[in-house]
Amino acid sequence: MVEAEKIKKVAIDDEMKDAYLDYAMSVIVGRALPDVRDGLKPVHKRILYALNDLGITSSSSHKKSARIVGEVLGKYHPHGDTAVYDTLVRMAQDFSYRYPLVDGHGNFGSIDGDSAAAMRYTEARMAKIADEMLRDIDKDTVDFRPNFDDTLEEPEVLPARVPNLLVNGSSGIAVGMATSIPPHNLGEVVDALIKMIEETNVGVDDLIECISGPDFPTGGFIMNRDEVIKAYHTGRGKIRLRARSRIEEDEDNNNKTPTIIVEELPYKVNKAKLIEKIADLVKDEKIAGIRDLRDESDREGMRIVIECKRGVNPDILLNKLYKNTQLLITYSVIMLALVDGEPRVLSLKEILHHYLEHQKNVIRRRTAYDLQKAEARAHILAGYRIALDAIDDVVEIIKKSPDSDTASKKLISSYGLSEKQANAILSMQLKRLTALERDKIDEEYRELQDKIAYLRSILASKEKLMEVIKEELIEIKEKFADERRTTILNQEISLEMEDLIEEENIVVAFTRHGYIKRMSLDLYRSQHRGGKGIIGMSTRENDFVENILASTTHQTFLFFTNQGQVYRLKGYQIPEAGRQARGTAIVNLLKLEEDERITTVIPVEDFENGDNLIMVTKEGLIKKTSLKEYNTNYTGLRGIKLREEDELVAVRLFKNKEEKSAGDKGEKGNIIIVTREGQAIRFNSREVRATSRNSMGVKAIDLAENDEVIGMGLTTAGEDLFVITEKGYGKRTSLSEYRTQSRGGKGLITAKITEKNGYLTSMKIVKSDSLQELFVITREGIMIRLEVDEISCFGRNTQGVKIISLNQGDEVVSLASVIMEEEEEKI
């Protein structure tokens, strides 16, 4: 019975905390994380040490895996035979390890996920490169510690003459942390280590000149080198790995039938499961266009054959496979390793630094060991030489001595020998007294003196020590380095729908209340002036179609809001819908604020061609900013700084060629702004200086009380200004009637405003001799499509003619235009 005074009371939460921390550190240090010096977890270390202890090196014959597992379990790693054997198997797989440490004989599994045969059937031995991991371990190069039952000793770390942590990588999940270090090319890692030895103040960027990136045993492509560089700097990153594939085209009945050949897979991808996944996608009709799928892999290498149906674009099909299968994966890099027993996330330079520090310690200890052995041998040889110089007297002393102890003492006193030297002389064989043997002793002694001097110089000079490390690294490289398998690109591929669909012409329509859709351009037919139009988009009550744009599925759309924010979508990201469908609420695609609405949409082909964006606000301010400042994936980006009551009205893309011609005489490069009450001002674009995204802009027009800007246009030679009123009256007026003024003036009359025709609602710059067509859009969602040539020209101070017949209570609210490039493209 336990005595009461021996019972200790402990709070259960404190006990649980302490116990869990002990368990966590046991897993972190003892099982899951590699040591930064040799790149091995304890189980890998113990397997290699047991193989070396058994003499099962690369030069010996293979031995049964069960025998090796039993040795590891019984002496060093009592955690279960399955765990040990699974580790042994992975160390022998050339698709798991970049440089396998075990040479397996028998079935050690496959890239298809097949399990290895039972340990009683397979055999193993150390690979040649593994010999280098344990080289000089018998020369006091590393510390040893007791094994789990204190009956034997095991090394705390291996000498690791190979930089194994980077070369073979490591992965593991501990408690609250995980490591995922990718494998690398041995030659590149050695080159980086030599660079660190030869140069001072080497940075990560300098090392990247040697190590271009991870080198996976299964090859493939690394698509984002920028992320690799980030991982080397910070220890963390996400690498995109893509299979190596090619497209072959065969002639089949005069029709091209493309075939996709996959020759290399991303790291750790199961080939059999990948093929099964592709088959399931075809079966579920998620991917169409595949006629046949088969695995033709053999001893020559991997070959997955995907036969396409006739007429299928193989590039788009391949992109769909990248999107939906493990032909493209993300590999998370977490370079976490144990440094002095503590887990740390390391940069590339830190990993190489710790490895070099370990090698300096190994070489220093090996040199000291070799020096001690050489000095002990030289000491004995010096005694031999003394004895041989006075051999007759030495023999006489030995003959007259009653025993060996007496002889030893007389030799020590007579010739100043040490006890070891005296005992060595007494043990010397008679054949050593020959002249030939005496010459050998002298030669060995001289060689030892040179060796001792060399070893002492290594210990005395850091430069010589580093030179030894460098020479041995070069030796390792010459013996084991091979060509890089993984190709590194710097093109982060985007597997959005742009890569998965054909590029086609579309019409994008959106409403005042924020509904948007895309449609094929051929859904509308041309009509004549005065027609009733067709329903282009059904809308909810009090909503109306504000604008439509002709573009392609691959173009980028910039969405500018009344609050001056800018968002972006690709054409294919806008949901497709029928002509009469309402579309999708824009708030489901863009993160708009409660009172925020889209005012202008700009389709963009190229952000870096020198184009500018011209913006105008309701209160008459104007701003010009380079288009490239909006080339970002951030959403909710500020497009213009607004006053409290002001709103962004219109944004126009100002082409670089138009900007260059803005100073010429005539109508090129001018800006025209129109107001609700029929005023218009035209001025040269050079009067607006380019400013940053966050600027407010300058005054464009001096507005009358209660007037506001309704639109803006950019002019070139031979164009007209088309305006339309809320009651459906419109007209064309030659831009030559609008003289160029200075920015900030009141402008000229552009339309006669009466009760009959109402206020102006929209304006467009049109060109009569082009294939331009206009969409007139009403509050009820009615659209009519007109050719520009059908609209009559009038002077500035006129009210125009009826463009569209409106239902009672309806009114015109918006205007859009389409310019066709060829006559046959007209709808």
Side-chain angles (χ1 to χ4, degrees):
M1 187 173 181
V2 181
E3 297 180 10
E5 60 271 14
K6 293 184 179 180
I7 298 176
K8 182 181 178 181
K9 293 185 178 181
V10 180
I12 190 170
D13 55 343
D14 293 337
E15 180 65 22
M16 290 294 292
K17 183 188 297 182
D18 293 341
Y20 189 78
L21 287 174
D22 290 342
Y23 160 72
M25 289 306 300
S26 174
V27 173
I28 290 168
V29 176
R31 302 190 70 170
L33 299 184
D35 192 298
V36 71
R37 297 169 291 178
D38 60 13
L40 298 172
K41 300 177 187 178
V43 64
H44 302 90
K45 207 183 328 275
R46 289 162 179 166
I47 288 173
L48 291 179
Y49 184 66
L51 284 167
N52 185 72
D53 205 25
L54 288 170
I56 310 176
T57 62
S58 62
S59 58
S60 72
S61 60
H62 293 81
K63 296 295 188 292
K64 284 291 184 182
S65 298
R67 178 182 177 185
I68 300 168
V69 171
E71 181 81 1
V72 175
L73 286 178
K75 291 184 176 181
Y76 309 113
H77 196 77
H79 291 292
D81 58 348
T82 301
V84 175
Y85 184 54
D86 286 348
T87 302
L88 179 70
V89 166
R90 285 193 296 274
M91 293 170 73
Q93 292 174 339
D94 58 3
F95 53 87
S96 294
Y97 270 55
R98 181 63 178 83
Y99 300 90
L101 299 176
V102 171
D103 178 14
H105 185 71
N107 176 15
F108 275 80
S110 73
I111 198 170
D112 288 321
D114 300 321
S115 300
M119 69 179 78
R120 61 183 179 274
Y121 298 119
T122 61
E123 297 178 343
R125 66 181 179 186
M126 290 171 62
K128 289 184 179 181
I129 197 171
D131 290 341
E132 303 296 332
M133 294 292 294
L134 290 116
R135 192 173 85 184
D136 300 328
I137 196 171
D138 57 346
K139 293 186 177 182
D140 192 34
T141 52
V142 293
D143 292 332
F144 281 71
R145 64 189 174 197
N147 68 340
F148 65 91
D149 61 359
D150 292 336
T151 58
L152 297 168
E153 285 193 329
E154 61 176 325
E156 292 183 359
V157 64
L158 298 186
R161 311 317 309 281
V162 177
N164 183 66
L165 182 61
L166 280 177
V167 164
N168 275 321
S170 183
S171 62
I173 300 174
V175 179
M177 61 185 68
T179 185
S180 180
I181 303 173
H184 291 76
N185 183 272
L186 175 60
E188 293 183 359
V189 175
V190 169
D191 289 343
L193 288 167
I194 293 174
K195 192 178 188 72
M196 289 187 69
I197 293 172
E198 293 179 340
E199 302 177 17
T200 57
N201 299 323
V202 175
V204 174
D205 292 329
D206 299 315
L207 297 173
I208 292 173
E209 295 177 5
C210 300
I211 302 177
S212 54
D215 189 21
F216 296 97
T218 54
F221 290 95
I222 293 175
M223 304 306 298
N224 53 343
R225 187 167 185 264
D226 291 342
E227 195 70 15
V228 172
I229 295 173
K230 173 189 170 185
Y232 284 161
H233 278 275
T234 66
R236 295 179 183 271
K238 292 184 180 296
I239 300 175
R240 298 282 278 172
L241 299 181
R242 199 196 76 186
R244 187 182 298 273
S245 60
R246 55 187 173 87
I247 296 173
E248 296 179 349
E249 288 193 358
D250 299 324
E251 296 293 334
D252 182 14
N253 296 328
N254 297 324
N255 290 318
K256 289 184 177 180
T257 56
T259 301
I260 298 171
I261 309 296
V262 180
E263 297 174 320
E264 294 174 0
L265 292 180
Y267 189 44
K268 294 185 179 180
V269 170
N270 185 307
K271 174 161 65 71
K273 289 185 178 180
L274 171 69
I275 295 174
E276 183 181 351
K277 174 65 174 179
I278 296 174
D280 289 341
L281 290 171
V282 174
K283 180 181 178 181
D284 297 340
E285 299 182 351
K286 293 182 179 178
I287 288 183
I290 295 179
R291 183 175 68 178
D292 191 19
L293 172 66
R294 57 185 181 273
D295 184 4
E296 296 182 357
S297 304
D298 55 21
R299 293 182 182 272
E300 299 296 322
M302 183 181 299
R303 181 180 169 89
I304 301 172
V305 180
I306 304 169
E307 290 188 5
C308 306
K309 295 179 179 178
R310 293 194 192 109
V312 171
N313 187 324
D315 293 308
I316 291 177
L317 176 58
L318 186 56
N319 282 333
K320 288 182 179 179
L321 292 173
Y322 289 148
K323 175 79 171 179
N324 295 284
T325 72
Q326 286 192 307
L327 287 176
L328 178 70
I329 67 169
T330 299
Y331 182 92
S332 294
V333 176
I334 308 172
M335 298 203 291
L336 179 71
L338 294 175
V339 180
D340 297 329
E342 295 182 358
R344 283 181 53 190
V345 176
L346 304 167
S347 68
L348 176 64
K349 181 180 178 179
E350 289 173 326
I351 290 177
L352 295 175
H353 168 75
H354 287 298
Y355 176 75
L356 282 179
E357 290 298 312
H358 176 55
Q359 289 306 299
K360 285 162 63 176
N361 187 52
V362 168
I363 299 301
R364 191 179 293 112
R365 292 178 63 162
R366 184 191 70 182
T367 303
Y369 179 88
D370 288 342
L371 177 62
Q372 180 185 4
K373 292 293 184 182
E375 289 176 337
R377 178 61 178 167
H379 183 65
I380 299 299
L381 291 176
Y384 283 167
R385 296 179 72 194
I386 292 172
L388 291 173
D389 288 341
I391 189 62
D392 293 335
D393 293 339
V394 169
V395 171
E396 190 67 23
I397 291 173
I398 295 173
K399 287 170 61 179
K400 291 182 179 180
S401 298
D403 52 44
S404 60
D405 288 341
T406 303
S408 176
K409 291 177 181 178
K410 287 184 178 181
L411 289 173
I412 292 171
S413 61
S414 299
Y415 298 100
L417 301 173
S418 69
E419 185 177 349
K420 288 184 178 179
Q421 287 174 324
N423 291 333
I425 292 170
L426 292 173
S427 302
M428 187 170 60
Q429 296 177 336
L430 290 176
K431 69 177 183 178
R432 306 300 296 271
L433 301 179
T434 64
L436 180 62
E437 289 295 326
R438 293 183 65 175
D439 291 341
K440 288 183 177 179
I441 289 173
D442 289 339
E443 183 181 355
E444 183 183 359
Y445 183 76
R446 287 192 296 271
E447 290 176 352
L448 278 175
Q449 291 303 315
D450 292 340
K451 182 178 181 180
I452 289 170
Y454 172 68
L455 294 174
R456 285 175 176 170
S457 69
I458 293 175
L459 293 176
S461 171
K462 179 182 177 182
E463 289 73 19
K464 285 194 175 182
L465 178 67
M466 299 308 292
E467 190 64 28
V468 171
I469 297 174
K470 175 183 173 181
E471 291 173 358
E472 296 190 0
L473 284 171
I474 293 174
E475 177 190 348
I476 293 292
K477 177 182 176 181
E478 291 174 349
K479 288 173 64 176
F480 301 108
D482 56 5
E483 294 296 323
R484 165 172 279 279
R485 300 181 188 177
T486 302
T487 303
I488 298 179
L489 305 175
N490 197 22
Q491 52 180 59
E492 171 62 28
I493 59 172
S494 172
L495 291 182
E496 303 295 340
M497 291 302 295
E498 182 174 354
D499 304 293
L500 309 179
I501 64 173
E502 300 281 358
E503 186 171 11
E504 61 178 349
N505 293 325
I506 58 172
V507 169
V508 174
F510 58 96
T511 74
R512 170 69 69 173
H513 287 174
Y515 284 86
I516 189 169
K517 68 174 179 178
R518 65 179 167 93
M519 303 164 285
S520 176
L521 191 59
D522 60 4
L523 288 179
Y524 297 94
R525 66 181 185 274
S526 294
Q527 293 179 291
H528 297 287
R529 177 175 61 84
K532 291 291 289 184
I534 60 174
I535 294 179
M537 185 174 185
S538 65
T539 61
R540 66 181 187 180
E541 187 177 357
N542 296 326
D543 195 8
F544 57 89
V545 177
E546 186 175 53
N547 204 352
I548 64 173
L549 289 169
S551 183
T552 72
T553 49
H554 286 190
Q555 279 192 347
T556 299
F557 287 81
L558 293 181
F559 292 80
F560 291 86
T561 73
N562 61 322
Q563 295 182 8
Q565 300 294 100
V566 57
Y567 303 82
R568 60 185 287 164
L569 287 175
K570 287 283 191 176
Y572 58 79
Q573 293 177 309
I574 300 172
E576 187 174 14
R579 194 185 68 213
Q580 297 188 31
R582 177 186 299 176
T584 302
I586 196 73
V587 293
N588 293 329
L589 305 177
L590 306 175
K591 295 181 180 179
L592 301 177
E593 298 295 331
E594 184 176 354
D595 297 328
E596 195 173 13
R597 59 180 177 81
I598 304 298
T599 60
T600 306
V601 181
I602 302 289
V604 179
E605 293 182 4
D606 183 7
F607 283 91
E608 303 296 329
N609 58 7
D611 292 348
N612 290 310
L613 288 174
I614 302 288
M615 306 178 194
V616 67
T617 71
K618 184 175 66 174
E619 293 183 356
L621 296 181
I622 190 168
K623 187 185 88 161
K624 178 166 63 177
T625 303
S626 174
L627 178 61
K628 66 182 180 182
E629 292 203 29
Y630 298 89
N631 189 16
T632 173
N633 289 325
Y634 290 112
T635 59
L637 195 70
R638 174 179 283 184
I640 183 174
K641 186 177 181 181
L642 296 173
R643 296 171 180 167
E644 185 175 353
E645 300 297 330
D646 202 2
E647 291 185 0
L648 182 62
V649 171
V651 182
R652 296 291 179 264
L653 184 63
F654 199 13
K655 299 286 186 181
N656 186 36
K657 59 182 180 181
E658 297 169 349
E659 177 80 15
K660 290 180 179 179
S661 65
D664 299 343
K665 280 188 173 183
E667 300 171 346
K668 292 184 179 180
N670 287 334
I671 299 170
I672 188 165
I673 295 174
V674 180
T675 74
R676 181 172 178 266
E677 294 183 354
Q679 293 296 112
I681 187 171
R682 179 181 178 183
F683 53 86
N684 194 287
S685 63
R686 292 185 182 273
E687 293 198 30
V688 184
R689 182 174 56 87
T691 56
S692 66
R693 278 192 304 104
N694 292 321
S695 62
M696 181 176 289
V698 294
K699 191 173 185 180
I701 185 171
D702 186 9
L703 296 173
E705 189 177 357
N706 298 324
D707 198 5
E708 61 185 46
V709 173
I710 62 162
M712 169 188 62
L714 306 177
T715 72
T716 59
E719 291 180 327
D720 300 328
L721 173 63
F722 175 78
V723 293
I724 191 167
T725 69
E726 57 192 2
K727 295 186 178 180
Y729 285 80
K731 65 169 182 171
R732 265 194 308 139
T733 303
S734 174
L735 284 174
S736 62
E737 295 194 27
Y738 299 87
R739 69 178 186 273
T740 303
Q741 300 176 271
S742 296
R743 174 180 59 80
K746 290 185 175 295
L748 304 172
I749 295 176
T750 188
K752 190 175 182 180
I753 303 302
T754 66
E755 186 177 349
K756 177 182 178 182
N757 61 2
Y759 290 108
L760 294 185
T761 61
S762 298
M763 55 80 68
K764 287 288 178 186
I765 303 296
V766 298
K767 198 166 187 178
S768 59
D769 59 354
S770 69
L771 301 177
Q772 186 172 10
E773 296 181 341
L774 295 174
F775 288 86
V776 178
I777 307 159
T778 76
R779 186 175 299 280
E780 293 181 355
I782 302 298
M783 285 190 293
I784 183 171
R785 187 172 182 174
L786 307 167
E787 292 186 3
V788 170
D789 285 343
E790 295 184 7
I791 304 169
S792 302
C793 270
F794 294 93
R796 287 189 297 103
N797 196 14
T798 56
Q799 68 178 11
V801 296
K802 178 167 284 192
I803 299 297
I804 183 171
S805 298
L806 301 173
N807 296 327
Q808 188 173 0
D810 197 7
E811 61 182 23
V812 174
V813 293
S814 189
L815 184 66
S817 66
V818 178
I819 299 179
M820 309 303 295
E821 294 182 358
E822 297 183 10
E823 184 68 31
E824 56 267 22
E825 289 181 346
K826 289 175 58 179
I827 299 171

